[in-house]
């Protein structure tokens, strides 16, 4: 079985917005109360509450003590409890940090509800959700008939817009693996000043949406500085700033989706370096803003699933592979090229002239083909 999510834009009424705000608050309240209970039980030497016992505690003690919890969707509260338990399990397995309390101002405003007895339904211009009823939505795409609706996650963004991510489950159809031929394989070398350079010598740049909007952002943030913190006008200006950030994010996603789709249609196998983009964005490299603006990590994630859908694969070469230092013509290694300031170099053995990025992309492609053949 495989999962697929479709995201729709929501346009709730004022009464629906109020109920959504209550639901976000109740989920945060239950999460924080259960976190306090678990910590108190640990201090007293009591056993950690499982998912089932934590849910029973919410139904038998929290809801009678706090009647406002009955006003919202019960599945939203249950999923908030499960979310906390998932955090504990990741912590126990040393896969994450200890769960933290959710802040009213900083926490993501979102909740998940489950599908049962057709309580979630996608109509022509609406989506039916538990407690909310029919919510006006932009239905740009319909699921396939054999897809089973599993859950829906509603989220509010900082600019006041809403969206719902509807999760479907379906039987995965086996896709024939594409043959590994030279025409079907391409290598990509990351370029912080743009996006990448491929093994064919093509340099793909990014528009730099954040940098394009910097002047506009600076103007709006200066206005925010002169308003009284916490006032109504202060909150309005915060939404204006959030709207700009959301627009930048949408522009970047749209550009990368189209670019990754074009590559997945042209090639079956894409070879890249297995880079740690979080480390690349650190201030020590001096290019953190450019690294975050081009969204290379998001681009690789898009490439990964789009290639798999077509029977291809994203091949990741080890990040310590000296792709820039090896001459792709004769295989000679030149340690001097380790200096990032060297953009072109001449092979000391064969005399070939290399562009640093193009040569690295060709070597990544060659190494990727070796990994595919292994």
């Amino acid at each position: 079985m495989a999962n697929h999510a479709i995201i729709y834009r929501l346009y709730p009424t004022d009464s629906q917005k109020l109920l959504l705000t209550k639901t976000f608050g109740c989920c945060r309240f239950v999460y924080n109360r259960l976190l306090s209970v678990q910590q108190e039980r640990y201090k007293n030497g009591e056993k950690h509450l499982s998912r089932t016992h934590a849910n029973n505690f919410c139904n038998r003690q929290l809801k009678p003590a706090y009647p406002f919890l009955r006003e919202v969707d019960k599945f939203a509260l249950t999923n908030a409890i499960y979310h906390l338990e998932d955090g504990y399990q990741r912590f126990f397995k040393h896969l994450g940090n200890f769960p933290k309390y959710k802040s009213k101002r900083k926490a993501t405003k979102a909740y998940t509800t489950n599908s049962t007895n057709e309580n979630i339904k996608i109509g022509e211009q609406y989506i039916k959700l538990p407690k909310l009823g029919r919510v006006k939505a932009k239905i740009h795409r319909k699921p396939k008939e054999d897809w089973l609706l599993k859950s829906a996650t509603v989220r509010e963004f900082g600019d006041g817009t809403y969206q719902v991510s509807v999760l479907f489950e379906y039987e995965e159809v086996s896709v024939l693996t594409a043959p590994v031929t030279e025409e079907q394989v391409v290598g990509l070398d990351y370029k912080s000043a743009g996006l990448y350079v491929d093994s064919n010598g093509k340099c793909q740049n990014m528009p730099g949406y954040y940098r394009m909007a910097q002047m506009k952002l600076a103007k709006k943030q200066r206005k925010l500085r002169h308003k009284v913190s916490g006032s109504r006008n202060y909150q309005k200006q915060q939404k204006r700033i959030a709207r700009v950030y959301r627009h930048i994010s949408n522009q970047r996603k749209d550009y990368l989706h189209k670019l990754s789709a074009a590559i997945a249609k042209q090639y079956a196998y894409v070879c890249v370096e297995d880079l740690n983009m979080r480390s690349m964005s650190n201030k020590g490299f001096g290019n953190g803003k450019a690294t975050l603006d081009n969204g290379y990590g998001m681009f690789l994630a898009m490439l990964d699933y789009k290639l798999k859908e077509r029977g291809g694969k994203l091949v990741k070469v080890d990040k310590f592979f000296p792709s820039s230092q090896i001459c792709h013509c004769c295989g000679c290694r030149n340690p001097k090229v380790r200096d990032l300031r060297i953009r072109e170099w001449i092979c000391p053995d064969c005399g070939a002239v290399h562009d640093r990025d193009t040569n690295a992309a060709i070597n990544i492609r060659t190494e990727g083909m070796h990994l595919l053949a292994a």
Side-chain angles (χ1 to χ4, degrees), residues 122-127 135-139:
I122 300 175
E124 292 299 325
Q125 295 181 345
Y126 68 89
I127 292 180
V135 184
K136 184 181 177 181
K138 178 67 176 178
I139 309 298

Side-chain angles (χ1 to χ4, degrees), residues 155-362:
R155 181 178 178 183
E156 180 187 359
F157 292 93
D159 60 348
T161 59
Y162 296 82
Q163 74 174 26
V164 59
S165 177
V166 186
L167 182 66
F168 298 92
E169 189 178 71
Y170 61 94
E171 281 194 31
E172 192 172 9
V173 180
S174 58
V175 182
L176 293 175
T177 305
V180 182
T181 61
E182 291 190 0
E183 295 78 13
Q184 290 291 315
V185 184
V186 67
L188 305 181
D189 180 51
Y190 171 68
K191 183 180 179 183
S192 60
L195 188 61
Y196 65 79
V197 175
D198 66 17
S199 51
N200 299 319
K202 179 187 174 184
C203 179
Q204 180 63 52
N205 293 316
M206 274 292 289
Y209 295 111
Y210 178 76
R211 291 186 182 274
M212 291 166 60
Q214 271 189 307
M215 294 290 290
K216 188 176 183 179
L217 272 172
K219 184 177 179 181
K220 292 185 179 297
Q221 286 167 341
R222 279 197 301 269
K223 288 184 178 181
L224 180 69
R225 182 183 177 185
H226 296 292
K227 298 186 185 299
V228 179
S229 179
S231 66
R232 183 61 180 162
N233 286 332
Y234 186 90
Q235 294 173 1
K236 287 181 180 179
Q237 191 63 23
Q238 278 186 317
K239 282 194 174 183
R240 294 188 186 103
I241 294 172
R243 194 173 297 119
V244 177
Y245 277 114
R246 179 101 171 109
H247 182 61
I248 294 169
S249 175
N250 289 339
Q251 284 180 306
R252 186 184 297 115
K253 285 181 182 178
D254 179 69
Y255 187 89
L256 294 178
H257 268 300
K258 291 175 180 176
L259 182 60
S260 57
I263 294 175
K265 289 177 183 177
Q266 186 175 0
Y267 301 100
Y269 300 94
V270 179
C271 308
V272 298
E273 283 184 298
D274 189 13
L275 300 174
N276 186 342
M277 300 311 298
R278 186 179 293 275
S279 298
M280 294 285 289
S281 63
N282 286 341
K283 293 181 179 179
F285 288 93
N287 59 351
K289 188 180 292 186
T291 303
L292 294 172
D293 196 13
N294 60 26
Y296 186 72
M298 185 192 303
F299 170 69
L300 293 185
M302 293 175 181
L303 263 181
D304 191 17
Y305 79 82
K306 288 177 182 177
L307 288 168
K308 286 180 181 178
E309 289 176 351
R310 294 170 169 81
K313 185 180 180 182
L314 181 70
V315 183
K316 293 188 176 181
V317 176
D318 189 84
K319 61 183 176 182
F320 296 111
F321 175 69
S323 57
S324 301
Q325 304 172 35
I326 299 175
C327 171
H328 73 270
C329 298
C330 65
C332 171
R333 182 172 177 178
N334 185 1
K336 294 181 180 179
V337 189
R338 191 176 298 174
D339 188 351
L340 295 175
R341 292 173 294 182
I342 300 176
R343 308 314 302 174
E344 288 187 0
W345 59 283
I346 301 174
C347 178
D349 280 10
C350 65
V353 181
H354 297 303
D355 174 79
R356 179 192 186 91
D357 297 327
T358 305
N359 178 67
I362 295 173

Side-chain angles (χ1 to χ4, degrees), residues 73 75-76 79 111-115 119-120 129-130 150-153:
D73 182 11
F75 292 117
N79 281 298
Y111 75 89
T112 300
T113 182
N114 300 332
S115 174
N119 62 340
I120 304 175
L129 293 169
K150 300 293 291 184
S151 64
T153 301

